[in-house]
Amino acid sequence: MAKEGIIEASVWIIMIIALLVFVPKKKMREASAVYLFKLFLTWGLGLFVVQMKWIEYPDRFIFPYAHKSNFTFEFFVYPSICVLFMLYYPEKKRYITQLGYFAAYCSIMTLLEVLIEHYTQLIHYIKWTWYWTWISLFLTFSLSRIYYIWFFRIKSKT
């Protein structure tokens, strides 16, 4: 198995374990709603970016002939990370802390994607750069947060 296959298989295993460990059973309804909403955003955005030929995924672990997007990242990893992001969001902290939380998630995910793009054949930037990844993550996390607040009718701090 090539290093790309090992990386994708490892990501699946790590994310499944993370979800099982860090998503409490009493929060499954919230986790499911967040997952599906983020999936809606990332799946559409991912397909758009690939169709515009801004990014390509030369080596895909799952469904390599069905579509040109990366199923692992767009369908599973990004929505799963958003679930963890939302369930552990610092709701009652200051706004600067909340902004730092957003920035930390987006920065770490962007850094990992850049490393994967540089050292593997899983992602290849054509007309894409790291800052577009960061911006798209920030926007999709923000939209997911707005949806989460609206859907679960969470009251703001004030």
Side-chain angles (χ1 to χ4, degrees):
M1 182 180 273
K3 70 179 173 183
E4 286 80 7
I6 293 170
I7 290 170
E8 281 201 62
S10 299
V11 167
W12 275 89
I13 292 167
I14 291 167
M15 286 310 307
I16 288 169
I17 291 170
L19 290 172
L20 290 172
V21 170
F22 294 112
V23 176
K25 288 183 182 175
K26 65 182 181 181
K27 297 279 190 170
M28 286 302 292
R29 180 174 176 254
E30 294 176 26
S32 298
V34 169
Y35 181 90
L36 291 172
F37 185 77
K38 179 72 170 190
L39 173 64
F40 166 75
L41 295 175
T42 58
W43 191 252
L45 183 61
L47 289 174
F48 178 76
V49 167
V50 168
Q51 289 301 318
M52 295 302 293
K53 298 189 186 328
W54 296 341
I55 289 180
E56 70 178 355
Y57 299 97
D59 193 355
R60 293 180 304 281
F61 185 62
I62 298 176
F63 305 129
Y65 302 108
H67 56 85
K68 294 181 180 182
S69 186
N70 188 300
F71 186 82
T72 297
F73 295 115
E74 308 294 346
F75 180 80
F76 185 62
V77 173
Y78 293 155
S80 297
I81 289 174
C82 189
V83 166
L84 299 174
F85 170 87
M86 208 62 65
L87 293 181
Y88 292 95
Y89 186 80
E91 193 79 45
K92 303 201 185 310
K93 301 287 183 179
R94 298 180 318 154
Y95 290 115
I96 193 74
T97 304
Q98 294 174 353
L99 185 60
Y101 189 77
F102 268 93
Y105 263 82
C106 295
S107 298
I108 291 168
M109 289 177 66
T110 300
L111 176 64
L112 292 173
E113 182 176 285
V114 167
L115 291 172
I116 289 170
E117 192 271 338
H118 187 73
Y119 293 108
T120 72
Q121 291 298 310
L122 292 172
I123 303 170
H124 175 67
Y125 292 168
I126 300 170
K127 294 180 181 178
W128 193 261
T129 59
W130 66 268
Y131 58 83
W132 285 117
T133 295
W134 198 95
I135 290 168
S136 66
L137 287 169
F138 189 87
L139 290 174
T140 58
F141 276 128
S142 297
L143 288 171
S144 297
R145 180 77 191 145
I146 291 166
Y147 173 77
Y148 178 77
I149 290 168
W150 169 80
F151 191 83
F152 292 104
R153 292 172 178 78
I154 296 173
K155 304 285 190 265
S156 66
K157 295 189 308 187
T158 58

